[in-house]
Amino acid sequence: MDMFSILQVLGWLVVGLVMTIFALTGGFDFGAGILLPFLGRTDAERRVIINTVGPTWDGNQVWLITAGGAIFAIWPRVYAASFSGLYFAFLLVLWALFFRPVAFEYRSKLTSAKWRSFWDWGLFIGSFIPPLIVGVGIGNLFLGLPFQFDPISLRFFYGSTMTDASAVIDLFKLLQPFALLCGVVSILMMVLHGASYLFLRTHGEVFHRSKKIIQWVSILLCICFAIGGIWLSNLVGYHWTPSVNPMANPLTNTVTSSVGGWFANYHSYPLMMLAPFIGFIGAINAFIFASKIRPMLTFISSGMSIFGIMATFGFSLFPFIMPSTIAPQQSLLVWNSSSSTISLIGILITAIIMLPIIFAYTAFVYKKLWGRDVKMSENNVNQHTHELY
């Protein structure tokens, strides 16, 4: 493997790492927001949930922007095709995210029950829709997206008919059964991680209810993840045949398809089977440790499950990033959609310098917050009612 190919693989790993970090950090924020209207029975209990993630939610959400920036820098063709072709889907995510900062900041400004209930549901919407849409989007990558390029590399998405070129793909056409299942898996990941975080950081009724949620959701996640794997084995998957220089003409790949094609990497590289194994083991351990009242180990296990499931998605698709159903030979892969060598070197140097700094700062923030060893409860909220969210 030459230097350029190594840099392309490293770029793929960087994008995967950033998206996984977002799922691990923003995941418990989104999970807590999804659980908010259901897990909190009283206003004080809902404030417990909100203030548990209150100090870190905004910093965690920045990883989503970082993921978009990483795709733009490393895979400009993918950025152009996905962010324009799936415009309405991304816009829906953006609109949903608008609820989160406003809900956090303004919910407790008035004591009106209707006011607070409105923002509770706003926070639910802002936490539920983004992981659902992202999960549905990943599911559609396995199904393939209807796009192609013209001879001068302009991208076209096709709408309701093959002859009608459209700037955006019909949003409702993304809601296919397998893609919706992937969306459910994404939601269950967030809920499990959010419940595990509340289990770790709270006392009282929220703590006990979180334990029950963890036990139910961990089982559901294993079931849905297994169904997704079985379903994927019966779907048509793509396979890429290596060429001498895929960047020479990135629009003419040799791509074939076959039922179960997305499992080819696991036959070629058996060690990749560790990814789904970790996904299942993490969810099972979360159930076990929650039953034994081991909050930290429960939280770590839910993180393991997210890491394993995210890695499974990446390993199954590799080297594809955006497969095309209209022109499979024009599918976007790791090898034909990356930036130039000099750009990838610059990005790699930046990542080597900046990521340790970001990790160090994040660790410092969490250490300061957790170092106080304060677990949120109704008493904390009532005693500091004007200081907390």
Side-chain angles (χ1 to χ4, degrees):
M1 184 179 290
D2 59 19
M3 177 60 69
F4 187 36
S5 299
I6 293 173
L7 290 171
Q8 289 174 316
V9 173
L10 289 175
W12 176 78
L13 290 173
V14 167
V15 173
L17 175 64
V18 171
M19 296 185 69
T20 302
I21 292 173
F22 169 66
L24 290 171
T25 56
F28 59 77
D29 292 340
F30 284 117
I34 294 170
L35 291 170
L36 177 64
F38 313 104
L39 202 59
R41 306 286 174 79
T42 66
D43 181 67
E45 289 174 357
R46 292 185 178 186
R47 290 188 71 183
V48 167
I49 296 171
I50 291 172
N51 283 282
T52 300
V53 299
T56 57
W57 73 269
D58 48 355
N60 293 339
Q61 197 164 291
V62 172
W63 285 106
L64 180 61
I65 301 171
T66 306
I71 293 174
F72 172 76
I74 297 171
W75 299 328
R77 287 192 180 94
V78 174
Y79 181 89
S82 62
F83 277 68
S84 57
L86 301 175
Y87 179 77
F88 284 152
F90 283 104
L91 197 60
L92 182 59
V93 170
L94 183 63
W95 284 342
L97 289 174
F98 287 161
F99 279 105
R100 288 172 59 80
V102 183
F104 273 110
E105 297 297 336
Y106 286 94
R107 179 198 182 273
S108 298
K109 298 298 183 182
L110 299 178
T111 57
S112 167
K114 290 184 178 180
W115 171 269
R116 294 188 173 186
S117 177
F118 173 81
W119 290 116
D120 288 341
W121 285 105
L123 190 55
F124 167 81
I125 293 171
S127 302
F128 180 83
I129 289 180
L132 175 66
I133 296 298
V134 171
V136 169
I138 291 175
N140 275 278
L141 294 181
F142 288 107
L143 299 173
L145 293 169
F147 72 93
Q148 69 178 96
F149 295 79
D150 71 5
I152 56 174
S153 298
L154 294 177
R155 178 224 22 92
F156 286 93
F157 261 83
Y158 286 80
S160 58
T161 64
M162 290 290 292
T163 59
D164 179 26
S166 174
V168 295
I169 188 172
D170 187 353
L171 180 61
F172 293 102
K173 290 185 181 297
L174 298 177
L175 304 179
Q176 302 181 65
F178 177 77
L180 286 173
L181 177 62
C182 291
V184 170
V185 170
S186 178
I187 290 294
L188 291 174
M189 286 165 49
M190 301 299 102
V191 172
L192 176 61
H193 208 41
S196 299
Y197 189 70
L198 295 175
F199 189 55
L200 174 67
R201 298 294 295 161
T202 62
H203 279 309
E205 290 299 319
V206 174
F207 172 85
H208 295 294
R209 292 183 195 131
S210 297
K211 173 188 172 183
K212 295 179 181 179
I213 293 293
I214 292 167
Q215 292 174 318
W216 280 103
V217 172
S218 59
I219 295 172
L220 287 174
L221 179 58
C222 287
I223 293 172
C224 291
F225 189 39
I227 292 174
I230 296 170
W231 198 336
L232 188 63
S233 68
N234 290 282
L235 291 177
V236 173
Y238 295 139
H239 178 71
W240 173 72
T241 301
S243 59
V244 176
N245 183 10
M247 287 295 289
N249 189 344
L251 304 184
T252 56
N253 302 298
T254 303
V255 176
T256 57
S257 60
S258 62
V259 175
W262 294 123
F263 280 69
N265 285 337
Y266 297 103
H267 295 294
S268 303
Y269 309 100
L271 281 177
M272 287 186 176
M273 286 299 298
L274 285 174
F277 177 77
I278 291 172
F280 281 115
I281 290 298
I284 293 170
N285 282 343
F287 177 92
I288 295 172
F289 289 130
S291 302
K292 295 182 177 180
I293 317 297
R294 304 292 295 274
M296 179 58 77
L297 292 176
T298 303
F299 182 66
I300 293 173
S301 297
S302 69
M304 286 177 54
S305 181
I306 289 176
F307 175 81
I309 293 172
M310 294 287 289
T312 300
F313 288 150
F315 289 157
S316 299
L317 278 171
F318 187 85
F320 288 88
I321 304 172
M322 284 184 63
S324 170
T325 55
I326 295 176
Q329 73 279 6
Q330 295 185 10
S331 296
L332 296 175
L333 301 92
V334 172
W335 315 120
N336 71 355
S337 56
S338 70
S339 298
S340 64
T341 303
I342 190 65
S343 296
L344 292 177
I345 291 175
I347 294 166
L348 180 61
I349 293 173
T350 302
I352 291 173
I353 295 173
M354 294 304 300
L355 285 179
I357 296 175
I358 296 171
F359 290 149
Y361 173 74
T362 303
F364 173 78
V365 170
Y366 277 94
K367 184 177 185 299
K368 283 296 182 181
L369 293 171
W370 288 355
R372 292 180 295 179
D373 197 28
V374 175
K375 294 190 176 183
M376 292 300 303
S377 66
E378 293 93 321
N379 289 334
N380 297 125
V381 171
N382 293 329
Q383 291 173 6
H384 304 88
T385 185
H386 297 296
E387 301 171 23
L388 300 174
Y389 283 121

